[in-house]
Amino acid sequence: MPTTAPATSLTLDTARCLSTAVQNHGLDPDVLAQDGPAARATVELTQRLEESRGTGWERWRMLAEGAMREDHVKAVKAIAAEYQGKLDNVVVLGIGGSALGNIALQSALNPLTHNLSTDRTHPRLFVLDNADPIPFHQTLAFITSEDPKFDRTLFVVISKSGETAETAAQFLVVRDMLQKARGDGHADRLIAVTDPEKGTMRRLCDAAGYETLPVPEGVGGRFSALSPVGLISCALCGIAIDELLDGAAAMEQACRHEALHANPAAMLATVLVELGQRQGKTVHVMMPYANQLYLMADWWRQLWAESLGKIVPSGGADGTHAGFTPVKALGATDQHSQVQLYREGPNDKAIIFLEVEKLATDVAIPAGLGEEALAYLEGSSLATLLSAEKKATEFALTESRRPNLTIKFPQVTAHTVGQFMMLWQVATAYAGLMLGVDAYDQPAVELGKKATFALMGKPGFEELAARLRS
Ligand code: PA5
């Protein structure tokens, strides 16, 4: 039952999640019927989301349209224009929701060889999203070997709170390097994406005169890829941000539909939550058959895990634990690594295939070798082979009664990627309501941050430090 949303071009095919395809491991088709229980629930949930849309922590729903979009696009394009032709390197400092969108967008929409190209119309992009000194040192050593005074390098520090230890530490190192290399005039080599009004980073930027872009109020890290958090590296590196936001806006619109079968986010959330709750499919594997989309799965893993992995407040004194374990795999590569487990291991997974109807490039496989064993490949192409591999894996999983669904991209473009990100963001909002959890907090992440502060000796965390050391 392919569901095509109006004005969007991604399609969602959930037929292999039904008992008609995977027997007792699938959902009863009545659950998803036009007038069935999920359809009735969708009407109510959609109305609730319509009421909260654009308010509180759901301001991310307004990122792709109206005044917020206009302000962000204008500010981001102004900075991109200011630096146009002047940069060889853009270095993003950020972690979690302040990094994953940048990485995903870059790898989906710029060539794999973007950083290797000698054509520097658009700068290279490095996203340093960890406190690991090795990649940090190696990247900066590479940059300074070419550009010791940072004349053609821009650092973009992204931190909503301005407090996150990994990003703050990187910022301190980079600021020091810039100051040593450029003196007081270093402010034009660092911009910050941070809270427009409060926080440590905001204070530092105001004092040092760094240019800033906002992480808008009511937009949490993992819902911020379509805000300046993700847009700035796209604009600097030649990705069409208008097209990206047009795609997101089209999907956002489609996901306001009260009819389950016309609302791809409601359908996606319903199928995955129902499979998790009724059928015990609590491991959700995203398996793109396109290398371009592989790191999108990292962005999705954070969204799905951090939003839904929670104690359910209404679950009794001890609480009930909600959430699904998101896993990423790559087709066809992981057919030779993971698919054995997916077919014959515990039947606790739902597989989410990402398929691309028309890859941007294909490679013909030449004929003429005359080797009988390889003749079936001759005259075909790599895209044809990859597509056959996806169908074959889908068939094999279905044969083993493993529920699987497919999100199909007609092509990977900024528009379809914008659709995809918004699709999952809205699906996450639905899933949060279905599971009875707050999709927007992350108490367990916060505790880890505080424990790091304590271990690193930050004032105010002495008691926690003592507990940690005992
Ligand atoms: O989704 C989230 O809230 C987190 O992953 C944050 O994005 C991450 O911890 C970084 O936070 P900040 O942007 O405040 O530095």
Side-chain angles (χ1 to χ4, degrees):
M1 92 183 69
T3 313
T4 307
T8 59
S9 51
L10 293 191
T11 56
L12 170 64
D13 184 352
T14 58
R16 289 172 195 80
C17 294
L18 300 180
S19 57
T20 41
V22 290
Q23 291 91 50
N24 57 326
H25 286 275
L27 301 175
D28 182 339
D30 288 348
V31 172
L32 301 183
Q34 303 276 2
D35 55 353
R40 289 193 293 278
T42 298
V43 174
E44 194 231 306
L45 296 179
T46 307
Q47 285 167 0
R48 279 173 66 187
L49 287 176
E50 195 52 37
E51 274 164 33
S52 54
R53 189 175 165 275
T55 66
W57 284 106
E58 275 172 7
R59 289 196 76 217
W60 56 266
R61 284 197 76 159
M62 312 302 283
L63 287 171
E65 60 180 322
M68 256 223 278
R69 170 176 170 160
E70 270 171 44
D71 290 352
H72 294 164
V73 168
K74 197 169 152 207
V76 162
K77 283 189 176 172
I79 291 183
E82 184 184 336
Y83 287 99
Q84 173 67 44
K86 297 184 184 149
L87 296 175
D88 289 337
N89 309 298
V90 169
V91 185
V92 168
L93 312 176
I95 196 164
S98 292
L100 290 164
N102 291 270
I103 298 170
L105 286 162
Q106 177 77 5
S107 68
L109 297 169
N110 264 335
L112 179 67
T113 51
H114 177 83
N115 277 9
L116 301 177
S117 169
T118 48
D119 171 12
R120 287 272 65 93
T121 311
H122 298 292
R124 305 176 185 107
L125 178 67
F126 301 96
V127 182
L128 298 177
D129 67 338
N130 200 355
D132 185 336
I134 294 177
F136 186 81
H137 171 78
Q138 286 173 344
T139 305
L140 289 176
F142 168 75
I143 289 171
T144 48
S145 71
E146 253 193 8
D147 184 24
K149 295 259 173 226
F150 302 107
D151 292 324
R152 295 188 60 80
T153 299
L154 178 69
F155 292 89
V156 182
V157 54
I158 307 181
S159 181
K160 184 175 172 65
S161 63
E163 302 277 343
T164 306
E166 298 87 343
T167 309
Q170 291 177 334
F171 165 75
L172 291 174
V173 178
V174 163
R175 183 187 153 277
D176 183 60
M177 287 180 84
L178 283 174
Q179 214 154 26
K180 283 181 179 139
R182 303 178 72 82
D184 287 342
H186 77 277
D188 63 345
R189 286 293 167 264
L190 193 148
I191 63 170
V193 188
T194 191
D195 190 287
E197 277 159 22
K198 52 188 188 305
T200 310
M201 187 57 68
R202 163 56 49 197
R203 229 178 333 101
L204 288 170
C205 290
D206 290 347
Y210 301 134
E211 208 162 355
T212 63
L213 287 165
V215 184
E217 202 198 320
V219 178
R222 56 191 175 274
F223 290 87
S224 68
L226 300 166
S227 80
V229 169
L231 297 181
I232 185 62
S233 63
C234 285
L236 288 164
C237 296
I239 292 170
I241 60 172
D242 293 306
E243 211 186 305
L244 180 77
L245 293 172
D246 285 349
M251 183 56 79
E252 203 280 327
Q253 192 109 27
C255 297
R256 284 194 233 164
H257 218 295
E258 287 185 6
L260 174 65
H261 287 260
N263 181 329
M267 179 60 91
L268 188 55
T270 300
V271 167
L272 290 171
V273 170
E274 290 281 326
L275 281 172
Q277 290 189 324
R278 289 180 192 245
Q279 304 290 347
K281 312 304 177 206
T282 56
V283 178
H284 294 170
V285 181
M286 181 171 282
M287 189 167 185
Y289 273 74
N291 282 47
Q292 278 175 285
L293 297 174
Y294 190 31
L295 298 183
M296 267 293 152
D298 271 341
W299 168 83
W300 162 80
R301 284 191 318 145
Q302 184 202 17
L303 185 70
W304 207 234
E306 205 171 63
S307 303
L308 306 179
K310 305 272 160 76
I311 293 174
V312 184
S314 61
D318 294 336
T320 303
H321 300 277
F324 308 109
T325 303
V327 170
K328 69 170 178 172
L330 179 65
T333 303
D334 281 315
Q335 286 178 211
H336 304 269
S337 161
Q338 301 297 301
V339 167
Q340 171 64 37
L341 170 76
Y342 299 167
R343 278 199 70 195
E344 290 190 359
N347 197 339
D348 58 356
K349 298 171 193 63
I351 313 292
I352 302 156
F353 290 116
L354 307 185
E355 186 178 2
V356 182
E357 214 162 298
K358 190 172 171 5
L359 290 167
T361 310
D362 197 0
V363 174
I365 304 173
L369 179 64
E371 168 59 53
E372 202 184 327
L374 301 182
Y376 73 102
L377 293 170
E378 294 194 356
S380 186
S381 75
L382 293 187
T384 307
L385 175 61
L386 190 65
S387 166
E389 303 226 54
K390 187 265 171 179
K391 283 190 187 70
T393 305
E394 178 182 80
F395 169 77
L397 287 168
T398 308
E399 282 286 291
S400 299
R401 298 182 292 146
R402 311 289 158 143
N404 60 89
L405 60 86
T406 295
I407 298 172
K408 195 185 274 186
F409 289 64
Q411 287 181 298
V412 179
T413 62
H415 197 280
T416 56
V417 166
Q419 291 178 45
F420 180 78
M421 291 181 123
M422 186 58 85
L423 169 67
W424 278 105
Q425 291 187 189
V426 185
T428 303
Y430 273 102
L433 293 183
M434 291 169 190
L435 295 169
V437 297
D438 178 354
Y440 303 108
D441 66 359
Q442 53 280 326
V445 175
E446 299 303 338
L447 181 61
K449 283 189 179 184
K450 285 182 186 145
T452 303
F453 291 155
L455 288 170
M456 293 295 287
K458 186 170 177 173
F461 295 86
E462 293 77 7
E463 207 184 304
L464 186 54
R467 268 177 62 205
L468 279 157
R469 292 203 172 94
S470 67

